[in-house]
Amino acid sequence: MSGGVRGTRDFYPGDMRTRNWLFGKFHDAAKAHGFEEYDAPVLETEEIYTRKAGDEIISQLYSFEDKGGRRVSLRPEMTPSLARMVMARSGTLPTPIKWYSIPQCWRYERTQRGRGREHYQWNVDIWGMSDIRADVELLSVMVHLLRSLGLDENDIIVRISNRKVLEQALGDLGISGEEFTKTCVIIDKIDKVPEEKIKKMLTDSGIDLEAISRILSIMGVNDLDDLASVLGDESPAVKELRSLFGLCASYGIEDWIQLDVSVVRGLSYYTGTVFEAHDRKGELRAVCGGGRYDKLIGTLGGKDMPATGFGFGDMVIMELLRKKEILPNLEPDIEDVVFCLQEENRIDAMAIASKLRSTGRKVDLILEEKRMKWALKHADRVGAERLVMILPEEWSRGKVKVRDVPTGVETEYESEDF
Ligand code: HAM
């Protein structure tokens, strides 16, 4: 047998150390902003994803029928599960709800650099606040994380727009509701698909040529004042974007962000602010994506509640950190290696290791018969602080020899003191 399922990953201990390091940074950035962790099952009913037509994510579902004949699916994203959880407790949860999670998500996608069929996705969301302040707080969480990984505004750009830009532009042409949502999903592909194909997809979905040229011309705007001159100063989209950019300056994150009207996002539930983070060089797929989705619960049959959030995958960011060569060199988390030179001291070594462990030390007890040279090399390889040696002569004098691994300095201690 060779390899696991295509597009899935194994995490050997070295990979796991890096993953835990990254997840630790996810936890820290969320906690620095007062978010609480939640979780949900990886298996959901299929219908929480298929209610919305047009989303590419639906064609990528890992879904099947369970033994009870129910249609179920591995989650491709966390947001519908979160909406389900919030809905189930609606009215009883104090708002705003500020929650985060690091779920594994499954999508039957074409595998490529930075895209797999499973990935971990840090999700950070705020429910119960329609003010733009919540959107900016999320951008702050994201930038906090990026900085904590050793990245700066020369590495990453966060492109921001607002669905209301297109809503207004298309609304003037009589495109709204479902039709508008479907159009957004097509327009999201502008960067990835040739313009002719986009035009064809738009015409196929019933959009006329005048509307198409309006869409494409507005997509080219990347200055707020220019946008205001197209949509008017009183446009809700312009007002929200102005307020967002102003608040980002108060957070000191204005150098990370940029208006880009072509960002609409591929998921149909977004209703306001939308954003995507990319590497500045534009070599990799999106590092992160999110936005405001005030009407998702309604589509699941509940009472709407304003919400905003983002998903930040583990794959592209790791590519970027690897490319920049700023991934830390992490060693196993071992403090003491306990070693006995002679078999006659085996039980003494066990007792010493147990005592050390009971005091909270992280101890690797060498279980096999090994030479001193091997023990020294091993202690160094695992990055231990100390090599605790039970040697026949020293032990008979009631002593234990301890080597400080980084310096090589050896000291004898009373075995009683261990
Ligand atoms: P999304 O843009 O589909 O949004 O995914 C968010 C991020 O997850 C992407 O930017 C990328 O880092 C990562 N990602 C997605 N698919 C893959 C894949 N196949 N392989 C590797 N990484 C991937 C959402 O999922 C929204 N639910 C995010 C959100 C949360 N919006 C509001 N709250």
Side-chain angles (χ1 to χ4, degrees):
M1 202 173 79
S2 69
V5 173
R6 192 190 166 96
T8 66
R9 295 166 294 170
D10 293 321
F11 290 88
Y12 287 85
D15 309 317
M16 206 59 204
R17 286 199 288 276
T18 320
R19 179 174 123 187
N20 284 335
W21 167 81
L22 177 68
F23 287 14
K25 301 285 183 189
F26 288 159
H27 288 291
D28 292 348
K31 288 193 174 132
H33 288 75
F35 284 73
E36 284 189 285
E37 192 176 8
Y38 70 98
D39 201 5
V42 68
L43 200 62
E44 288 279 3
T45 59
E46 188 184 37
E47 64 169 356
I48 75 166
Y49 307 113
T50 52
R51 276 168 193 281
K52 279 251 151 196
D55 285 18
E56 193 174 28
I57 222 170
I58 299 167
S59 62
Q60 299 169 338
L61 285 181
Y62 272 96
S63 52
F64 57 97
E65 199 172 284
D66 72 7
K67 290 191 173 134
R70 296 170 207 92
R71 295 293 310 170
V72 289
S73 173
L74 297 181
R75 67 176 160 228
E77 54 159 342
M78 194 60 156
T79 314
S81 305
L82 173 60
R84 183 179 58 64
M85 286 170 72
V86 170
M87 198 166 102
R89 297 264 171 101
S90 70
T92 64
L93 292 170
T95 52
I97 298 160
K98 291 169 59 184
W99 288 357
Y100 81 95
S101 192
I102 314 175
Q104 188 183 34
C105 298
W106 293 81
R107 299 183 189 183
Y108 195 82
E109 279 206 51
R110 198 166 63 81
T111 53
Q112 51 174 301
R113 204 155 150 232
R115 283 288 180 279
R117 292 192 172 156
E118 55 77 20
H119 70 282
Y120 286 88
Q121 196 192 87
W122 181 43
N123 275 250
V124 187
D125 292 85
I126 301 180
W127 286 74
M129 258 199 93
S130 47
D131 197 277
I132 205 83
R133 268 173 267 164
D135 307 47
V136 183
E137 181 77 0
L138 289 167
L139 293 171
S140 169
V141 178
M142 198 218 301
V143 172
H144 185 109
L145 179 272
L146 293 166
R147 284 186 175 135
S148 76
L149 297 175
L151 297 169
D152 64 29
E153 63 273 22
N154 299 313
D155 301 307
I156 300 276
I157 178 77
V158 187
R159 297 203 181 86
I160 305 182
S161 186
N162 193 307
R163 280 260 170 120
K164 289 178 186 166
V165 171
L166 264 187
E167 198 177 53
Q168 186 181 342
L170 298 183
D172 293 348
L173 299 162
I175 301 167
S176 61
E178 276 265 301
E179 214 188 339
F180 166 71
T181 316
K182 278 190 192 152
T183 311
C184 287
V185 175
I186 298 173
I187 293 175
D188 175 62
K189 299 194 170 67
I190 265 180
D191 284 348
K192 299 154 213 153
V193 174
E195 190 170 304
E196 283 315 305
K197 207 164 165 203
I198 294 283
K199 282 185 178 162
K200 165 117 186 23
M201 286 160 95
L202 289 170
T203 356
D204 288 352
S205 75
I207 314 249
D208 64 35
L209 289 174
E210 187 200 346
I212 293 175
S213 67
R214 173 130 170 110
I215 293 168
L216 295 177
S217 77
I218 217 156
M219 289 293 107
V221 177
N222 52 18
D223 179 275
L224 209 44
D225 291 329
D226 292 347
L227 190 65
S229 63
V230 180
L231 300 179
D233 255 329
E234 286 311 301
S235 139
V238 172
K239 280 184 163 174
E240 283 190 13
L241 283 166
R242 268 205 208 293
S243 149
L244 181 139
F245 280 93
L247 293 174
C248 282
S250 320
Y251 278 87
I253 57 173
E254 69 276 25
D255 293 338
W256 293 75
I257 58 170
Q258 184 188 304
L259 173 71
D260 185 338
V261 176
S262 73
V263 173
V264 285
R265 307 272 299 128
L267 292 156
S268 56
Y269 50 63
Y270 292 109
T271 53
T273 305
V274 274
F275 56 89
E276 252 168 32
H278 273 93
D279 60 303
R280 279 262 183 197
K281 291 191 186 136
E283 291 171 349
L284 306 168
R285 297 273 308 260
V287 170
C288 166
R292 179 164 281 284
Y293 52 104
D294 290 345
K295 302 217 156 53
L296 180 56
I297 292 196
T299 67
L300 298 173
K303 194 168 152 277
D304 281 329
M305 192 198 278
T308 177
F310 67 77
F312 188 116
D314 66 332
M315 289 179 73
V316 176
I317 194 67
M318 288 302 278
E319 282 273 336
L320 195 65
L321 297 174
R322 223 172 271 130
K323 258 179 72 173
K324 276 210 78 180
E325 297 182 0
I326 54 171
L327 269 180
N329 190 13
L330 301 161
E331 287 172 329
D333 196 8
I334 292 172
E335 291 170 328
D336 294 331
V337 170
V338 174
F339 166 71
C340 61
L341 191 59
Q342 304 282 334
E343 274 314 286
E344 65 199 63
N345 292 122
R346 172 77 46 208
I347 51 170
D348 307 318
M350 288 172 174
I352 292 280
S354 298
K355 240 169 133 185
L356 284 169
R357 285 167 180 160
S358 71
T359 67
R361 300 285 292 175
K362 294 167 187 142
V363 180
D364 179 28
L365 171 65
I366 297 177
L367 298 171
E368 301 161 279
E369 264 183 72
K370 291 286 181 191
R371 289 170 188 276
M372 177 63 88
K373 207 169 140 203
W374 185 91
L376 289 172
K377 233 171 123 183
H378 175 75
D380 190 49
R381 188 182 63 80
V382 299
E385 289 166 20
R386 309 188 301 178
L387 174 63
V388 178
M389 296 173 278
I390 311 341
L391 310 171
E393 193 271 321
E394 283 82 350
W395 186 259
S396 66
R397 287 192 282 111
K399 304 273 189 194
V400 165
K401 195 181 243 183
V402 176
R403 182 185 175 93
D404 182 81
V405 178
T407 60
V409 175
E410 293 183 351
T411 319
E412 282 187 9
Y413 291 94
E414 296 292 330
S415 56
E416 300 292 289
D417 295 344
F418 266 81

